[in-house]
Amino acid sequence: IPQRRWKGRNHPEVNAETRQRRGDHPNVEAYTELLDGYAKDGDLESALRVMQQMQRRGVMPNEYTYTCMVGALARRDKVRQARKMINYAATSLPCAGEGWSRTVLTPTYNAFISGLLADNKNGYANNADVSLGQSSHAAHMVEVLAVLREMQEYDIRPNVVTVALVVDGLGRCNPPRCREARELVQHLQSRSKIKQSDANYGNYNNRGGVGEGNDARGISLSNNKIATALITSYGRANDVKSATEAFDHIPEPDVVAFNALLDACCRCDELKLALELFRWRVGIAAPSSKREGDDVGKEKATRRRTTPMITSIEPDVVTYTSLISALLQLDSR
């Protein structure tokens, strides 16, 4: 039974198909939902047919339409077609006129990078030939870094998602390219500061003294998403010290970053450190009322704190699963 027959009558794909049979003209959102459904199901031919049909009917694809299509092509390792689709989007979008910026295509570039690396993740999980998977990933990383350079040449500002994807990809190399990943973040951080300074100055003059921010200013080693990718990379490289230092750069780490640090400790057989970090970070949620004689361990606790105020972390299922798995492995040795 075709998968789309399982969907309810109110599903966007079903509505779009119904309107097509009646001869109505769906809008770009309906066409994009239908295209995205085919793309996620791996039916690239049907997805491309929908895009051609909407153009014949005078419905122009938008940025999200191209993003869905580029991501699907990249996941199927159709690199050349995906690159052509990006270039076509840059010239055919309604906003692609004089004075427009290709920065609106940042999500499309992100979909391309994510698609290439996602295909490789599945390969590592299921491919018995590990060396073939590693060489495939190395080739994909060459393409990813070329795309990143292209973005900078066109003055397309990578955002936090872009950088986190590239850092994660570098960390999946064999051996992990952690130093290159860290230097890349620092380079893009310095570039984003310059761009942000120029943009704020221009917006200040053009908008009567009102500056305007953008996603680029979030690129730094202290960003939760980027630091999490870097921590995971250090864990794959069995460098728990650098993973801990990367975690300490985050002002307010979330549970995802904390889980990445615990996983890095467990990968490096530092279970004792993982349990200590768990007790320390999870156990500081609510300080109890101070009683006389409570200053006995004050000096020791002060030495362990790297910041005056440390936010507690609410553990989730992944937190407990990582620790329990590590304990079971230790018990089986």
Side-chain angles (χ1 to χ4, degrees):
I1 301 174
Q3 185 178 0
R4 56 180 176 271
R5 291 180 60 183
W6 301 344
K7 303 180 185 300
R9 289 181 299 175
N10 294 327
H11 193 276
E13 296 178 24
V14 178
N15 286 339
E17 290 181 333
T18 302
R19 283 192 291 267
Q20 289 184 50
R21 288 195 297 267
R22 290 198 309 242
D24 297 339
H25 290 278
N27 57 19
V28 63
E29 288 80 10
Y31 273 119
T32 301
E33 288 289 342
L34 179 59
L35 180 151
D36 191 37
Y38 282 127
K40 289 178 178 177
D41 196 41
D43 191 352
L44 285 180
E45 292 184 3
S46 297
L48 289 169
R49 188 172 63 250
V50 171
M51 175 171 280
Q52 293 169 356
Q53 184 179 22
M54 64 187 294
Q55 290 176 313
R56 285 196 303 267
R57 294 187 172 184
V59 181
M60 295 301 297
N62 57 19
E63 299 93 329
Y64 183 64
T65 312
Y66 288 112
T67 298
C68 296
M69 200 66 247
V70 167
L73 290 169
R75 285 193 297 271
R76 295 290 295 274
D77 208 18
K78 306 289 186 181
V79 177
R80 183 178 299 178
Q81 293 90 326
R83 294 294 296 269
K84 286 183 178 180
M85 185 72 69
I86 293 175
N87 293 331
Y88 182 75
T91 57
S92 62
L93 283 171
C95 56
E98 184 178 355
W100 88 294
S101 172
R102 287 179 64 142
T103 302
V104 298
L105 292 176
T106 298
T108 310
Y109 279 97
N110 290 348
F112 176 76
I113 296 173
S114 177
L116 282 180
L117 300 181
D119 177 66
N120 198 58
K121 291 176 187 177
N122 295 333
Y124 276 129
N126 304 314
N127 193 351
D129 191 350
V130 178
S131 61
L132 180 61
Q134 291 171 352
S135 62
S136 173
H137 179 71
H140 285 165
M141 280 309 305
V142 171
E143 189 68 34
V144 165
L145 294 175
V147 167
L148 188 61
R149 287 192 295 270
E150 178 182 302
M151 293 177 68
Q152 296 178 74
E153 290 173 2
Y154 283 112
D155 200 24
I156 302 173
R157 299 173 188 173
N159 57 21
V160 169
V161 176
T162 316
V163 180
L165 286 170
V166 177
V167 169
D168 183 70
L170 290 170
R172 292 179 180 276
C173 294
N174 186 27
R177 297 155 64 178
C178 299
R179 180 177 179 180
E180 185 178 347
R182 182 183 179 87
E183 291 175 350
L184 175 66
V185 175
Q186 292 173 330
H187 170 71
L188 293 177
Q189 180 180 0
S190 62
R191 282 180 58 92
S192 67
K193 286 182 178 179
I194 296 174
K195 295 287 184 181
Q196 180 65 30
S197 177
D198 294 342
N200 285 342
Y201 180 78
N203 288 326
Y204 185 87
N205 292 330
N206 296 333
R207 299 176 182 271
V210 180
E212 185 175 300
N214 56 67
D215 291 337
R217 64 183 178 184
I219 297 176
S220 70
L221 294 172
S222 60
N223 179 273
N224 262 294
K225 187 180 290 292
I226 295 174
T228 299
L230 194 58
I231 292 168
T232 304
S233 300
Y234 282 128
R236 297 191 186 101
N238 294 321
D239 188 354
V240 69
K241 179 181 178 181
S242 297
T244 306
E245 291 174 353
F247 182 83
D248 290 339
H249 274 93
I250 310 175
E252 296 183 1
D254 56 17
V255 67
V256 180
F258 185 61
N259 290 342
L261 178 60
L262 293 181
D263 181 70
C265 293
C266 295
R267 281 174 177 264
C268 302
D269 291 330
E270 293 285 352
L271 182 57
K272 183 178 179 180
L273 175 60
L275 292 173
E276 183 180 352
L277 288 169
F278 177 80
R279 287 193 295 265
W280 184 29
R281 280 286 179 175
V282 175
I284 61 175
S288 58
S289 57
K290 184 176 179 181
R291 295 174 298 178
E292 189 174 349
D294 282 350
D295 292 334
V296 176
K298 182 177 180 181
E299 183 178 354
K300 181 179 179 181
T302 303
R303 286 199 303 268
R304 295 178 61 188
R305 287 181 171 83
T306 58
T307 54
M309 294 294 295
I310 301 177
T311 56
S312 64
I313 294 176
E314 185 70 26
D316 59 7
V317 175
V318 178
T319 311
Y320 291 109
T321 302
S322 299
L323 293 176
I324 292 173
S325 299
L327 287 170
L328 290 174
Q329 292 177 6
L330 181 64
D331 187 58
S332 62
R333 292 177 182 176

